[in-house]
Amino acid sequence: MIELAALDMAGTTVDEAGAVYRALRTAVERTGVTVAETDLQTWMGTDKREAIAALIRLGGGTPTPELVEEGYAAFAAYLREAYRTSPPQAIAGVEAALAELRRRGIKVALTTGFSDDVAYPLLESLGWSVGEGGNLDAVVTSDEVPRGRPAPHMIHRAMEKTGVIDTRRVLVAGDTVVDAEAGANAGAGVVVSVLTGELSRADFEGHPHTYVLDSVADIPALAEARPAA
């Protein structure tokens, strides 16, 4: 049985209507380069400063530290406005799934390529929180780790925060290829790719995963997530 479910936020547990994609494209293209759709897909799910730097470079630009910080500021500002006008919502069935996993004694952590200043206001708007009376056991943002996905650091940090020591008892879920790669790099026992983001089932072919599910809402039905007999 798994002991920890480490889940991505945007596109995996939270429906924010594709605002992250638009924000990332806008932040990079304001520097004068063009973002290819395939490159944007590749860098979704990663630390957003790393993504901005990579996409500027791929577009033929030079990602100086100053330019990357300006791009990140634009990214964060775009998201704040997008979330103000169209508040994100929990993906259907996810809140019930999180509650059921925790009822079974499975810790639930959210991991995200967002920094604290983006992640926590988003969670607050949903009414999600960590601690007594909350619905989560941990949150790990990009500010807490030396490298974002596909590095395994956020997953290992979630294990540290929740007291889980066996990577084989960790389930990782996300809506991007780098989510799955991070799970594999972390040694997670179960790696789930979900179809609530921008990718199709075919997009995950050839990449590490244990299951491709329609949604995080389907995780409690997995054998690994069921209570021991």
Side-chain angles (χ1 to χ4, degrees):
M1 179 179 170
I2 62 170
E3 296 179 359
L4 169 66
L7 314 173
D8 175 50
M9 282 177 55
T12 300
T13 54
V14 180
D15 179 5
E16 39 76 76
V20 174
Y21 281 77
R22 297 191 300 274
L24 189 54
R25 181 186 292 279
T26 299
V28 175
E29 291 189 340
R30 68 186 295 279
T31 69
V33 305
T34 300
V35 177
E37 183 64 27
T38 54
D39 292 336
L40 184 63
Q41 293 283 2
T42 296
W43 284 91
M44 282 301 300
T46 65
D47 174 271
K48 295 306 178 283
R49 287 181 173 87
E50 291 181 14
I52 289 167
L55 290 169
I56 290 174
R57 188 178 296 111
L58 288 166
T62 301
T64 64
E66 296 78 13
L67 193 60
V68 171
E69 283 305 312
E70 290 174 7
Y72 183 79
F75 167 81
Y78 185 105
L79 269 192
R80 282 193 293 270
E81 178 60 18
Y83 290 170
R84 184 188 68 81
T85 57
S86 299
Q89 305 291 325
I91 288 174
V94 164
E95 290 180 313
L98 303 189
E100 176 59 19
L101 291 174
R102 297 183 80 215
R103 188 190 68 78
R104 297 177 187 177
I106 298 169
K107 304 289 188 181
V108 173
L110 297 186
T111 65
T112 178
F114 293 156
S115 56
D116 287 358
D117 62 324
V118 175
Y120 284 102
L122 171 56
L123 293 174
E124 184 178 356
S125 73
L126 293 168
W128 293 7
S129 63
V130 176
E132 187 175 354
N135 64 333
L136 304 169
D137 295 291
V139 173
V140 181
T141 71
S142 62
D143 290 332
E144 299 182 55
V145 293
R147 287 288 305 276
R149 305 180 187 112
H153 305 313
M154 285 198 290
I155 297 164
H156 290 162
R157 178 68 173 136
M159 293 175 63
E160 179 184 355
K161 283 188 169 186
T162 57
V164 173
I165 62 174
D166 188 345
T167 57
R168 295 169 298 179
R169 294 187 177 275
V170 176
L171 177 149
V172 173
D175 65 302
T176 68
V177 168
V178 292
D179 291 319
E181 291 175 343
N185 290 338
V190 182
V191 177
V192 175
S193 295
V194 295
L195 303 177
T196 46
E198 300 293 325
L199 301 184
S200 68
R201 189 175 297 272
D203 291 321
F204 292 110
E205 292 179 3
H207 299 286
H209 63 265
T210 313
Y211 301 101
V212 178
L213 301 178
D214 289 336
S215 168
V216 163
D218 298 325
I219 288 176
L222 296 178
E224 297 90 337
R226 293 174 185 164

